[in-house]
Amino acid sequence: MNIRSFENIDVRGKFVLLRDDFNVQIIDGKIKDSFRITQSMPTIRKLSESGAKVAIVAHFGRPNGVRDMGLSLAPIAEYMKIPFIPDCLDKDFMQDMKNGDVVLLENVRFYSGEEEDCPKFSAKLANGFDVFINDAFAVSHRAHASTVGVTKILPSYAGELLLSEIKQLTKIIENPKRPLLSIVAGGKVSTKIGVLKSLAKLSDKLIVDGAIGTTFAFANGANVGNSLYEPNMKDTALEIMEFAKQNDCELFIPIDKGVGKVFSKDADRVNKPLSEIQDDDIIMDSGIETTKRNIEIINSVKTVLWNGTFGMAEWNDKWGYASFEIARAIAKQTRAGELESIVGGGDTVALLEKIDIKDDITYISTGGGAFLEFIEGLSLPGIKALEIA
Ligand code: 3PG
């Protein structure tokens, strides 16, 4: 993939429209996970130090074209200590900008033209700028005005973060150290069918867990009680198991689970083999034996690709047991130089941050959906728009 890089262009005195992804967790106006912001800083700094006048365009949440102040980017500007422009189509601020200045524009999704990739909206957004730089890997799977539309109007380039995501993830897909283990957990088989199949082709071993693993266990004949799973995905799960077998990929489903009688962080936790799960049991984490087995697998491979948490890790240690144990095992092997670890997805990255082991992971992607689509081998429109023909 040959992408136009921002590194060789002269931006001094130029108005640069920079696309970043600041879709981070904000609770009560406070940033809870700054990873995407931190990872965006090198490009912002480089542009500023090179004398560009930078306006960052970004989205937050899904306001569906409505000006919803609960989804304002103002807290991000405050956190970054940069001026905030309360309307992304406002141009008045440009006349006061000096070389090196950086501002943040209000949520671009307050306009319906953004998600519709409306050419008129793109023209308004691009108006007054000399150059467009996309550094928002995490939203590059969306064909929106601020990821694709503006590239048809302005000379457009990839920023440092976008280039680094492409390089690191391509390396893993094209030339992984083997054996390669992929771990896919989290919510729904239905949203991850494509990636499960691609990973079954790419990997030597594949662990499915979380609610996805529960659906696979159900498909395999287990009673999964009153848990979150997708009964209508039974045939798809069986098909993926067969697909893995045909592609010489060993697929591992859970063998036990942590269950409770109410869906609550305060529920009493009992560990049960799948065969003992009752109709009123609710699965809220993976089990102790499954976790032991998974750690043995981790210790036997050279590369791990991980997306999705195993249970309700956001609640507490009791229900985050499997996720935390797996994260620590991956970190330990990586620290020892035995493993290359690649992690992607908002919940999974937040988990690493919570137990402070981000530095022990080889590569953490800022992408959630974009990370999955990239490793699935799909062409991401925001990246495709920057390819040299
Ligand atoms: C993300 O958080 O994965 C990106 O910012 C994309 O957000 P979206 O799924 O709302 O388009």
Side-chain angles (χ1 to χ4, degrees), residues 19-31:
R19 182 55 160 108
D20 276 320
D21 189 313
F22 293 157
N23 199 20
V24 302
Q25 217 182 35
I26 301 183
I27 300 173
D28 297 330
K30 295 253 167 334
I31 318 270

PDB file of all heavy atoms in Angstrom, residues 19-31:
ATOM      1  N   ARG A  19      -7.588  15.722  10.470  1.00  0.00           N
ATOM      2  CA  ARG A  19      -8.627  14.841  11.016  1.00  0.00           C
ATOM      3  C   ARG A  19      -8.014  13.963  12.089  1.00  0.00           C
ATOM      4  O   ARG A  19      -7.066  13.203  11.834  1.00  0.00           O
ATOM      5  CB  ARG A  19      -9.215  13.972   9.896  1.00  0.00           C
ATOM      6  CG  ARG A  19     -10.367  13.016  10.327  1.00  0.00           C
ATOM      7  CD  ARG A  19     -11.490  13.748  10.992  1.00  0.00           C
ATOM      8  NE  ARG A  19     -12.771  13.046  11.005  1.00  0.00           N
ATOM      9  CZ  ARG A  19     -13.331  12.500  12.104  1.00  0.00           C
ATOM     10  NH1 ARG A  19     -12.725  12.540  13.286  1.00  0.00           N
ATOM     11  NH2 ARG A  19     -14.535  11.936  12.011  1.00  0.00           N
ATOM     12  N   ASP A  20      -8.530  14.112  13.309  1.00  0.00           N
ATOM     13  CA  ASP A  20      -8.118  13.219  14.391  1.00  0.00           C
ATOM     14  C   ASP A  20      -9.333  12.469  14.908  1.00  0.00           C
ATOM     15  O   ASP A  20     -10.468  12.882  14.685  1.00  0.00           O
ATOM     16  CB  ASP A  20      -7.499  14.030  15.547  1.00  0.00           C
ATOM     17  CG  ASP A  20      -6.024  14.326  15.303  1.00  0.00           C
ATOM     18  OD1 ASP A  20      -5.317  13.434  14.799  1.00  0.00           O
ATOM     19  OD2 ASP A  20      -5.583  15.454  15.594  1.00  0.00           O
ATOM     20  N   ASP A  21      -9.091  11.347  15.625  1.00  0.00           N
ATOM     21  CA  ASP A  21     -10.199  10.653  16.286  1.00  0.00           C
ATOM     22  C   ASP A  21     -10.054  10.865  17.786  1.00  0.00           C
ATOM     23  O   ASP A  21      -9.167  10.306  18.423  1.00  0.00           O
ATOM     24  CB  ASP A  21     -10.183   9.160  15.951  1.00  0.00           C
ATOM     25  CG  ASP A  21     -11.456   8.490  16.450  1.00  0.00           C
ATOM     26  OD1 ASP A  21     -11.826   8.732  17.617  1.00  0.00           O
ATOM     27  OD2 ASP A  21     -12.099   7.743  15.696  1.00  0.00           O
ATOM     28  N   PHE A  22     -10.942  11.709  18.318  1.00  0.00           N
ATOM     29  CA  PHE A  22     -10.963  11.980  19.770  1.00  0.00           C
ATOM     30  C   PHE A  22     -12.229  11.394  20.386  1.00  0.00           C
ATOM     31  O   PHE A  22     -12.754  11.917  21.366  1.00  0.00           O
ATOM     32  CB  PHE A  22     -10.898  13.487  20.027  1.00  0.00           C
ATOM     33  CG  PHE A  22      -9.596  14.140  19.621  1.00  0.00           C
ATOM     34  CD1 PHE A  22      -9.535  15.495  19.338  1.00  0.00           C
ATOM     35  CD2 PHE A  22      -8.419  13.404  19.540  1.00  0.00           C
ATOM     36  CE1 PHE A  22      -8.336  16.103  18.975  1.00  0.00           C
ATOM     37  CE2 PHE A  22      -7.219  13.998  19.180  1.00  0.00           C
ATOM     38  CZ  PHE A  22      -7.172  15.346  18.889  1.00  0.00           C
ATOM     39  N   ASN A  23     -12.713  10.304  19.780  1.00  0.00           N
ATOM     40  CA  ASN A  23     -13.918   9.653  20.289  1.00  0.00           C
ATOM     41  C   ASN A  23     -13.502   8.810  21.497  1.00  0.00           C
ATOM     42  O   ASN A  23     -13.347   7.601  21.412  1.00  0.00           O
ATOM     43  CB  ASN A  23     -14.506   8.774  19.179  1.00  0.00           C
ATOM     44  CG  ASN A  23     -15.943   8.425  19.427  1.00  0.00           C
ATOM     45  OD1 ASN A  23     -16.632   9.106  20.200  1.00  0.00           O
ATOM     46  ND2 ASN A  23     -16.413   7.373  18.795  1.00  0.00           N
ATOM     47  N   VAL A  24     -13.276   9.484  22.617  1.00  0.00           N
ATOM     48  CA  VAL A  24     -12.733   8.824  23.813  1.00  0.00           C
ATOM     49  C   VAL A  24     -13.818   8.775  24.884  1.00  0.00           C
ATOM     50  O   VAL A  24     -14.867   9.404  24.737  1.00  0.00           O
ATOM     51  CB  VAL A  24     -11.487   9.572  24.344  1.00  0.00           C
ATOM     52  CG1 VAL A  24     -10.407   9.645  23.283  1.00  0.00           C
ATOM     53  CG2 VAL A  24     -11.840  10.980  24.818  1.00  0.00           C
ATOM     54  N   GLN A  25     -13.530   8.030  25.944  1.00  0.00           N
ATOM     55  CA  GLN A  25     -14.522   7.939  27.011  1.00  0.00           C
ATOM     56  C   GLN A  25     -14.505   9.222  27.858  1.00  0.00           C
ATOM     57  O   GLN A  25     -13.468   9.571  28.426  1.00  0.00           O
ATOM     58  CB  GLN A  25     -14.172   6.735  27.881  1.00  0.00           C
ATOM     59  CG  GLN A  25     -15.357   6.010  28.382  1.00  0.00           C
ATOM     60  CD  GLN A  25     -14.969   4.860  29.289  1.00  0.00           C
ATOM     61  OE1 GLN A  25     -13.990   4.938  30.042  1.00  0.00           O
ATOM     62  NE2 GLN A  25     -15.728   3.794  29.223  1.00  0.00           N
ATOM     63  N   ILE A  26     -15.661   9.929  27.901  1.00  0.00           N
ATOM     64  CA  ILE A  26     -15.759  11.112  28.766  1.00  0.00           C
ATOM     65  C   ILE A  26     -16.910  10.861  29.728  1.00  0.00           C
ATOM     66  O   ILE A  26     -18.030  10.586  29.311  1.00  0.00           O
ATOM     67  CB  ILE A  26     -16.049  12.402  27.956  1.00  0.00           C
ATOM     68  CG1 ILE A  26     -14.947  12.645  26.918  1.00  0.00           C
ATOM     69  CG2 ILE A  26     -16.181  13.613  28.879  1.00  0.00           C
ATOM     70  CD1 ILE A  26     -15.099  13.915  26.108  1.00  0.00           C
ATOM     71  N   ILE A  27     -16.635  10.910  31.018  1.00  0.00           N
ATOM     72  CA  ILE A  27     -17.703  10.731  32.009  1.00  0.00           C
ATOM     73  C   ILE A  27     -17.747  11.976  32.882  1.00  0.00           C
ATOM     74  O   ILE A  27     -16.711  12.403  33.430  1.00  0.00           O
ATOM     75  CB  ILE A  27     -17.493   9.442  32.851  1.00  0.00           C
ATOM     76  CG1 ILE A  27     -17.491   8.218  31.918  1.00  0.00           C
ATOM     77  CG2 ILE A  27     -18.583   9.303  33.923  1.00  0.00           C
ATOM     78  CD1 ILE A  27     -17.136   6.904  32.568  1.00  0.00           C
ATOM     79  N   ASP A  28     -18.937  12.579  33.009  1.00  0.00           N
ATOM     80  CA  ASP A  28     -19.129  13.831  33.750  1.00  0.00           C
ATOM     81  C   ASP A  28     -18.126  14.898  33.305  1.00  0.00           C
ATOM     82  O   ASP A  28     -17.510  15.578  34.148  1.00  0.00           O
ATOM     83  CB  ASP A  28     -18.997  13.594  35.275  1.00  0.00           C
ATOM     84  CG  ASP A  28     -20.071  12.665  35.792  1.00  0.00           C
ATOM     85  OD1 ASP A  28     -21.163  12.665  35.204  1.00  0.00           O
ATOM     86  OD2 ASP A  28     -19.801  11.926  36.766  1.00  0.00           O
ATOM     87  N   GLY A  29     -17.934  15.012  32.015  1.00  0.00           N
ATOM     88  CA  GLY A  29     -17.045  16.050  31.475  1.00  0.00           C
ATOM     89  C   GLY A  29     -15.559  15.752  31.653  1.00  0.00           C
ATOM     90  O   GLY A  29     -14.708  16.544  31.271  1.00  0.00           O
ATOM     91  N   LYS A  30     -15.243  14.580  32.221  1.00  0.00           N
ATOM     92  CA  LYS A  30     -13.826  14.229  32.452  1.00  0.00           C
ATOM     93  C   LYS A  30     -13.392  13.122  31.478  1.00  0.00           C
ATOM     94  O   LYS A  30     -14.100  12.146  31.275  1.00  0.00           O
ATOM     95  CB  LYS A  30     -13.628  13.704  33.885  1.00  0.00           C
ATOM     96  CG  LYS A  30     -13.897  14.720  34.981  1.00  0.00           C
ATOM     97  CD  LYS A  30     -12.591  15.172  35.620  1.00  0.00           C
ATOM     98  CE  LYS A  30     -12.680  16.390  36.493  1.00  0.00           C
ATOM     99  NZ  LYS A  30     -13.723  17.376  36.286  1.00  0.00           N
ATOM    100  N   ILE A  31     -12.173  13.309  30.909  1.00  0.00           N
ATOM    101  CA  ILE A  31     -11.634  12.303  29.991  1.00  0.00           C
ATOM    102  C   ILE A  31     -11.182  11.093  30.804  1.00  0.00           C
ATOM    103  O   ILE A  31     -10.349  11.216  31.703  1.00  0.00           O
ATOM    104  CB  ILE A  31     -10.399  12.858  29.250  1.00  0.00           C
ATOM    105  CG1 ILE A  31     -10.607  14.288  28.801  1.00  0.00           C
ATOM    106  CG2 ILE A  31      -9.888  11.920  28.169  1.00  0.00           C
ATOM    107  CD1 ILE A  31     -11.165  14.576  27.533  1.00  0.00           C
TER     108      ILE A  31
END
